[in-house]
Amino acid sequence: MIRALVLCLLPFAVHADVIRVATFNTELSRKGPGLLLRDVQRNDPQVQAVVAVLVAMQPDIVALQGIDWDMDGLALTALSRKLRESGLDFPYHFAAQPNSGLDSGLDLDGDGRTQGPGDSHGWGLFTGHGGLAVLSKHEILRSEIQDYSKVLWRDLPGAELPTVDGEPFPSDQAQAAQRLSSTGHWVVPVATPIGHISLMTFHASPPVFDGPEDRNGLRNRDEIRLWSLLMDGDLGPVLTNRFVIAGDANLDPDQGDGRRHAIRSLLANPHLQDPQQKDATGALATVDWKAAGKMRVDYVLPSADLKVVDAGVFWPAPNSDLRDAAQSASRHRLVWVDVAVP
């Protein structure tokens, strides 16, 4: 199947002076450690579908979400090998331990118990559950990577933490330890043919599955706000490289639950541009959830000093074999942008 799909690549060819950056929530998370590696090695149909989508789009740099992390990077290495065998070679990759599944030792979700999935710094069944990864055709400058994943939520400028009856929820002790990132916030510089580009990637909390204190909604808001603070110089040195924000914000600017002003504010930030990627039908939707419907929650946002050559949401025609692969891979769709230096 993969070999046949490679024949569809020519319409997506990218010139040498153009870099394609993509984001894809693969939903490759499994219910236990080691299971993703097992599924990659045994040609699981969903893994094969994810590979087909990535091979079809041929990104130069891709941010992946929903991919389990392991200490030795075995699952990511196996996936990279499978991609290479299928016609897409990523010699460089990066994945650090995410906050998801990282036990805090505290009751962080207010259920009166500890050591549950909600008591990790980010919801997770095990350490590394549903992590992040970056794959690149070009050198990742590992010594220059900035990792904001350990930033405490309460330390973020302008943070709004949950309260119940005027008291910190679930406790002051919990808020003193709670990290902001439910998965991670990374700035990953890549040496591309058009110059150094920093990939800024994350996967924010869904702004639901909580109570009237709106813990997840507030956290989602501040996870998104982190990027504006960084671009505006309120969280350290101002970025010097051109950049692309690529990730899953779990928030639509116009519909659904959550503090929608947070994503609207990010999209309006003058340091970046919003290509408003669409699929072949003209829709902006990047995910199709049965309960909530189609929404725009995945974003690839280049800095204002890059030229947008092309952009889109990968969603093939109904009669295409690639449509079957896209549907089997994930509820999320791959979002991409082609950029160049003006």
Side-chain angles (χ1 to χ4, degrees), residues 269-311:
N269 190 294
H271 296 291
L272 58 72
Q273 51 190 314
D274 177 13
Q276 294 193 327
Q277 291 94 333
K278 298 179 177 64
D279 64 19
T281 70
L284 288 166
T286 68
V287 69
D288 189 354
W289 287 313
K290 288 184 178 179
K294 296 179 180 180
M295 293 189 181
R296 185 191 187 198
V297 300
D298 307 275
Y299 299 88
V300 183
L301 308 170
S303 55
D305 53 2
L306 283 168
K307 176 184 177 182
V308 173
V309 178
D310 201 359

Side-chain angles (χ1 to χ4, degrees), residues 94 96 140-151 181 184-189 198-201 226-227 230 235-241 243:
F94 173 77
I140 293 174
L141 305 176
R142 299 178 72 93
S143 64
E144 299 179 21
I145 291 173
Q146 300 174 63
D147 188 350
Y148 293 90
S149 305
K150 293 183 180 180
V151 171
S181 303
H185 281 82
W186 304 338
V187 180
V188 182
S198 289
L199 182 78
M200 297 158 59
T201 189
L226 180 143
W227 295 128
L230 185 62
L235 203 65
V238 176
L239 295 170
T240 56
N241 291 346
F243 64 83

Side-chain angles (χ1 to χ4, degrees), residues 80-99:
S80 297
R81 184 182 305 116
K82 188 170 292 292
L83 285 164
R84 182 172 62 251
E85 293 168 353
S86 302
L88 178 56
D89 188 14
F90 289 119
Y92 306 96
H93 52 78
F94 173 77
Q97 182 176 353
N99 287 334

Side-chain angles (χ1 to χ4, degrees), residues 61-131:
I61 307 167
V62 60
L64 303 179
Q65 304 88 44
I67 180 167
D68 295 337
W69 172 91
D70 61 81
M71 180 68 74
D72 297 314
L74 299 178
L76 185 59
T77 299
L79 180 64
S80 297
R81 184 182 305 116
K82 188 170 292 292
L83 285 164
R84 182 172 62 251
E85 293 168 353
S86 302
L88 178 56
D89 188 14
F90 289 119
Y92 306 96
H93 52 78
F94 173 77
Q97 182 176 353
N99 287 334
S100 49
L102 181 62
D103 185 35
S104 68
L106 299 168
D107 175 14
L108 294 187
D109 58 7
D111 65 356
R113 299 187 296 271
T114 61
Q115 298 183 321
D119 300 316
S120 299
H121 284 287
W123 193 94
L125 297 173
F126 56 90
T127 301
H129 185 210

Side-chain angles (χ1 to χ4, degrees), residues 202-207 220 224 247-251 263 266 297-299:
F202 74 132
H203 185 182
S205 302
N220 174 276
I224 294 170
D248 183 350
N250 256 319
L251 193 62
I263 192 65
L266 178 64
V297 300
D298 307 275
Y299 299 88

